[in-house]
């Protein structure tokens, strides 16, 4: 097992060295505490209760996190509407005029600089 020379907390008095495994565990625990606001469900349970959970999400508007081996892999959230009708996700009132592919001549190029 590799030792990391990181000391936490950064104090002047001696403290233990953190191993990579300990550091990973600490980070995982912090992330899990941050994600605790959303309900979670294991993938196997999600598979069994998928349709009922989808109805619940649609009616209550909750966001569910699907986990596999304790790690988040997907979110189930209510549908918010269709895709954007504007090209390339641009603002709907934006209009493209002229040839946007044609190279600029030298005078126009200098004006942009």
């Amino acid at each position: 097992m590799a030792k990391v020379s990181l000391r936490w907390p950064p104090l002047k008095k001696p403290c233990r060295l953190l191993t990579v495994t300990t550091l990973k565990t600490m980070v995982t625990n912090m992330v899990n505490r941050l994600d605790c606001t959303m309900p979670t469900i294991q993938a196997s349970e999600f598979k069994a209760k998928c349709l009922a959970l989808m109805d619940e999400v649609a009616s209550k508007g909750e966001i569910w996190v699907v986990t596999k081996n304790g790690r988040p892999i997907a979110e189930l959230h209510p549908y918010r509407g269709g895709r954007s009708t504007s090209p390339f996700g641009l603002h709907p009132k934006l209009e493209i005029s002229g040839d946007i592919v044609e190279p600029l001549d030298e005078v126009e190029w200098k004006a942009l600089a």
Side-chain angles (χ1 to χ4, degrees), residues 65-109:
V65 177
V66 182
T67 63
K68 194 171 188 179
N69 297 325
R71 303 178 104 186
I73 57 166
E75 285 184 1
L76 180 65
H77 55 85
Y79 181 67
R80 292 191 180 91
R83 291 180 174 247
S84 174
T85 57
S86 63
F88 314 112
L90 300 174
H91 194 276
K93 294 181 181 178
L94 181 71
E95 291 182 19
I96 298 173
S97 61
D99 187 359
I100 60 172
V101 181
E102 179 183 350
L104 296 174
D105 64 2
E106 197 168 323
V107 175
E108 292 172 331
W109 184 256

Side-chain angles (χ1 to χ4, degrees), residues 28-104:
T28 302
N29 290 340
M30 285 191 282
V31 168
N32 288 341
R33 281 189 212 123
L34 293 174
D35 289 340
C36 67
T37 58
M38 290 186 266
T40 61
I41 188 169
Q42 294 178 0
S44 57
E45 187 180 357
F46 174 75
K47 184 178 176 182
K49 300 179 179 180
C50 180
L51 295 177
L53 188 61
M54 287 170 48
D55 291 338
E56 185 177 333
V57 166
S59 65
K60 293 183 180 179
E62 287 183 317
I63 298 174
W64 280 78
V65 177
V66 182
T67 63
K68 194 171 188 179
N69 297 325
R71 303 178 104 186
I73 57 166
E75 285 184 1
L76 180 65
H77 55 85
Y79 181 67
R80 292 191 180 91
R83 291 180 174 247
S84 174
T85 57
S86 63
F88 314 112
L90 300 174
H91 194 276
K93 294 181 181 178
L94 181 71
E95 291 182 19
I96 298 173
S97 61
D99 187 359
I100 60 172
V101 181
E102 179 183 350
L104 296 174

